[in-house]
Amino acid sequence: MSSALVVYGSTTGNTEKVAEMINGVLNDKGWDTVLKDVSETEVEELVMDFDLLLLGSSTWGDEDIEIQEDFAEFYEKMDSVKLNGKKVAVFGCGDSSYTHFCGAVDVIQEKSAEMGGVIICDSLKIDGDYDDGEDDILEWAEEVAQQAH
């Protein structure tokens, strides 16, 4: 059975709900998953025996890209691990009226690749409330499940 670690940072609950939906799709597809709030996750867990890493963060700020506050510390610590070919997909929520729409998603994806991760599909960027993008979330999660096998 394939295994996945789903780590999210969420302030308003939107990114948490997206993570739960993605986790549900992977479970339905037969994946063994671990869903964790980033504040309860050690960066070393990224190199554990998971076939797939899913990383999610909301984006804050207009002038600069601000990774969700709980995820920001984790992001800085990511430099200490080598992902060595691990499959990675990144998701998050933001507001397209801001200059850097879902910029946290972009920088987390870049960092994952720099650390040796293999980005398996385009990132998922939800504009506004998660339930407005429910179909996109479910479709993306299905694609991730397919691409990661």
Side-chain angles (χ1 to χ4, degrees), residues 7-139:
V7 178
Y8 66 88
S10 186
T11 300
T12 64
N14 279 331
T15 304
E16 179 179 10
K17 291 293 186 190
V18 172
E20 290 170 354
M21 292 171 69
I22 292 167
N23 191 67
V25 169
L26 291 174
N27 286 158
D28 290 347
K29 295 290 182 184
W31 285 75
D32 182 21
T33 61
V34 175
L35 176 66
K36 293 191 79 170
D37 185 309
V38 72
S39 66
E40 300 170 0
T41 307
E42 298 296 325
V43 73
E44 293 79 18
E45 292 178 60
L46 297 177
V47 296
M48 293 176 69
D49 196 25
F50 291 103
D51 301 304
L52 173 64
L53 304 174
L54 293 116
L55 306 174
S57 174
S58 53
T59 303
W60 296 90
D62 193 22
E63 296 303 315
D64 297 314
I65 296 170
E66 293 180 38
I67 297 173
Q68 192 272 340
E69 65 183 318
D70 296 329
F71 210 106
E73 183 179 344
F74 186 86
Y75 173 83
E76 294 304 322
K77 291 180 179 177
M78 284 177 67
D79 287 328
S80 69
V81 298
K82 298 291 180 220
L83 298 180
N84 297 330
K86 285 226 182 231
K87 296 174 183 172
V88 179
V90 184
F91 64 94
C93 298
D95 184 334
S96 62
S97 68
Y98 287 95
T99 305
H100 303 287
F101 171 60
C102 285
V105 171
D106 297 332
V107 297
I108 292 167
Q109 183 168 296
E110 286 173 24
K111 171 93 71 165
S112 298
E114 288 169 12
M115 305 320 304
V118 176
I119 308 303
I120 61 166
C121 63
D122 290 339
S123 58
L124 173 67
K125 297 178 179 180
I126 299 299
D127 189 6
D129 205 307
Y130 73 92
D131 53 358
D132 293 337
E134 187 171 345
D135 291 342
D136 292 337
I137 296 164
L138 298 175
E139 184 180 305

Side-chain angles (χ1 to χ4, degrees), residues 15 128 147 149:
T15 304
Q147 295 294 327
H149 273 293

